[in-house]
Amino acid sequence: MFDFSKTKSRFHLPEGIVYLDGNSLGPLPVNVHQRMSRTIVDEWGELLIKGWNEADWFSMPNTMGERIARLLGAASGSIVMGDTLSIKIYQALTSALDLASKADAGRNVILSDTGNFPTDLYMAQGLITSTNSKLELKLVEPEEILAELDEHVAVLMLTHVDYRTGRMHDMEALSAKAKQKGIVTIWDLAHSAGAVPVDLAKAGVDFAAGCTYKYLNGGPGSPAFIYVSPEHVNNIRPALSGWLGHEAPFDFDLDYRAGDAISKMRIGTPSILQFAALDGALDVWEDIDMADIRAKSIELGELFIELIEKTCPHLILASPRASGQRGSQVSFRFHHGYEAMKAIIAHGVIGDFRAPDIMRFAMTPLYIDETDIGKAAKIIADVVNSGVWRESKYQVRGAVT
Ligand SMILES: *Cc1c(COP(=O)(O)O)cnc(C)c1O
């Protein structure tokens, strides 16, 4: 197996902390500092506006897309980056609906599940209301999806790995059945990219989107990505028809003409400082195989479950017990989860909390090993069993949980 002991030094990790929150914000890769300084000092500082050409700022949404393609099983030219995941979901949804209606205008259902992340659902709701559309967003339980794929469904929009429990959909099987029923698929890979192996081409996925600040460690607010299958990329119309997705942005035409291939999913000016950080963060992945990450993440997850279940009877496993159905996180239910998590963080183990009662812990082999898991489990057990979390200072809620 790949030797992960050498990858921990690629990150800056604060002294005395076990970081189990890579599912929310990856830690700082050490070379980001230098990579950002180059863009700030040498490029912005010295080149000024010339940076767009001379430092290749302009092509970064495409070149960074190429850098993550290998991790997602995506063909060259099928991913472009920018904006936030919420926006990329909106773009994918509008283009997917357009494709679906060209094939069969009678379909009026966007199908998703109750495990989906709220922003994905809100984007669909906003699209439907703002356009006075007859479309219906239908939500069913995650395990009912397969049976709900029928001739009324235009688009299937799912998050691959559930943000609360880590339950993972069978992307290949659901995409295959959807295709067979003439349904266009959109997969949200927020908790998959850099976390579990994904093969978009093999699974025959139509659209996908994800963020890079979680398992890919691109930094707070780093750019999102969108994938469009090569089969569709020349047949779709962007709804967010921004100037940088235009065929010739610097002709300044008064009329929009969609640009080439995946570049048409670009919208406006890319956030170059964030792209520089992401470029540095992606260096970490150069010699990494997702199959190795997966194998190690499962080992860590199994160990964590075993230790917590042995020492913390109050915590109930919320993630699937079968490792094959679980992403790269382990979650437990505890009805005082918020206060307990706050106390655990104060004692040096960082995880997070999702309402109503989920405590989440990410398994990230690049910088977490068995020793960390052992330390974390001991602190969690001490905090939960001692009741120290009942102290009033752990009851106050911040704006972000
Ligand atoms: C984290 C996450 C998002 C966040 O969207 P942003 O626009 O980046 O804030 C969206 N979807 C899922 C499934 C997520 O886990």
Side-chain angles (χ1 to χ4, degrees):
M1 176 176 315
F2 184 82
D3 178 12
F4 282 104
S5 67
K6 66 181 186 188
T7 56
K8 196 169 191 167
S9 62
R10 298 177 189 178
F11 294 87
H12 168 78
L13 296 160
E15 206 55 50
I17 293 276
V18 180
Y19 195 65
L20 302 183
D21 207 11
N23 55 312
S24 259
L25 176 70
L28 172 67
V30 288
N31 51 346
V32 163
H33 213 91
Q34 201 185 3
R35 179 61 189 81
M36 284 196 89
S37 297
R38 187 181 103 198
T39 293
I40 293 171
V41 178
D42 304 343
E43 299 174 0
W44 184 11
E46 297 300 322
L47 295 175
L48 294 161
I49 190 77
K50 292 182 290 179
W52 288 107
N53 287 318
E54 294 179 17
D56 281 331
W57 292 347
F58 189 74
S59 57
M60 284 186 99
N62 300 75
T63 53
M64 291 304 114
E66 292 299 293
R67 285 199 80 180
I68 64 164
R70 177 183 65 90
L71 302 174
L72 300 172
S76 172
S78 59
I79 295 183
V80 75
M81 306 196 72
D83 318 297
T84 77
L85 177 48
S86 305
I87 289 173
K88 292 302 169 211
I89 288 289
Y90 189 90
Q91 282 187 294
L93 189 54
T94 46
S95 288
L97 287 167
D98 196 28
L99 270 188
S101 76
K102 276 187 206 149
D104 176 358
R107 298 181 181 223
N108 71 333
V109 172
I110 301 169
L111 181 66
S112 191
D113 70 34
T114 53
N116 206 347
F117 191 81
T119 205
D120 301 43
L121 306 178
Y122 300 165
M123 282 293 166
Q125 289 162 4
L127 172 65
I128 292 169
T129 11
S130 65
T131 55
N132 261 324
S133 158
K134 289 195 196 63
L135 288 165
E136 176 205 346
L137 173 64
K138 182 173 178 185
L139 300 183
V140 300
E141 292 304 308
E143 51 286 354
E144 292 168 2
I145 288 286
L146 196 63
E148 293 285 337
L149 297 172
D150 61 25
E151 70 287 357
H152 302 293
V153 179
V155 170
L156 171 67
M157 176 181 76
L158 292 175
T159 291
H160 183 215
V161 175
D162 185 294
Y163 71 106
R164 282 172 301 202
T165 63
R167 172 201 42 74
M168 186 162 63
H169 273 305
D170 185 340
M171 181 188 287
E172 222 170 292
L174 288 172
S175 301
K177 172 98 184 273
K179 182 155 265 172
Q180 190 198 351
K181 298 272 176 181
I183 298 166
V184 182
T185 49
I186 303 173
W187 288 95
D188 183 329
L189 304 178
H191 294 274
S192 311
V196 296
V198 172
D199 196 333
L200 291 169
K202 180 158 171 255
V205 167
D206 298 313
F207 294 85
C211 52
T212 58
Y213 51 81
K214 292 173 180 167
Y215 292 88
L216 293 173
N217 318 305
S222 62
F225 64 86
I226 185 166
Y227 165 87
V228 182
S229 157
E231 181 193 341
H232 302 311
V233 78
N234 294 318
N235 308 323
I236 56 164
R237 273 192 313 221
L240 298 178
S241 36
W243 73 302
L244 292 190
H246 190 278
E247 187 176 53
F250 289 88
D251 283 0
F252 296 101
D253 280 348
L254 296 183
D255 293 312
Y256 181 79
R257 287 193 314 278
D260 273 349
I262 194 70
S263 292
K264 74 177 78 166
M265 298 314 247
R266 293 179 59 158
I267 303 174
T269 306
S271 51
I272 296 303
L273 297 182
Q274 295 275 195
F275 271 100
L278 177 64
D279 194 24
L282 292 178
D283 290 345
V284 167
W285 294 89
E286 284 294 303
D287 59 346
I288 304 292
D289 190 318
M290 284 310 299
D292 292 327
I293 291 271
R294 180 65 173 156
K296 188 73 187 178
S297 148
I298 288 176
E299 274 184 25
L300 296 174
E302 296 286 287
L303 174 65
F304 187 65
I305 292 172
E306 183 195 323
L307 294 175
I308 294 293
E309 290 195 325
K310 207 153 61 184
T311 53
C312 292
H314 299 300
L315 300 195
I316 306 302
L317 184 66
S319 298
R321 191 167 292 278
S323 60
Q325 291 165 25
R326 199 166 69 220
S328 203
Q329 73 181 64
V330 174
S331 303
F332 287 92
R333 288 185 203 283
F334 180 45
H335 62 292
H336 293 290
Y338 180 80
E339 299 90 318
M341 184 54 84
K342 217 167 158 177
I344 289 166
I345 293 170
H347 287 78
V349 177
I350 303 187
D352 63 15
F353 170 80
R354 285 293 173 264
D357 59 356
I358 297 273
M359 299 167 76
R360 296 195 298 188
F361 302 95
M363 301 295 124
T364 49
L366 290 176
Y367 52 87
I368 291 294
D369 59 20
E370 283 83 356
T371 312
D372 296 316
I373 293 296
K375 260 193 239 170
K378 174 147 190 356
I379 292 172
I380 293 165
D382 287 349
V383 167
V384 171
N385 298 336
S386 69
V388 65
W389 50 267
R390 291 182 196 276
E391 284 178 25
S392 58
K393 65 180 171 191
Y394 299 128
Q395 321 278 322
V396 188
R397 299 210 174 201
V400 175
T401 61

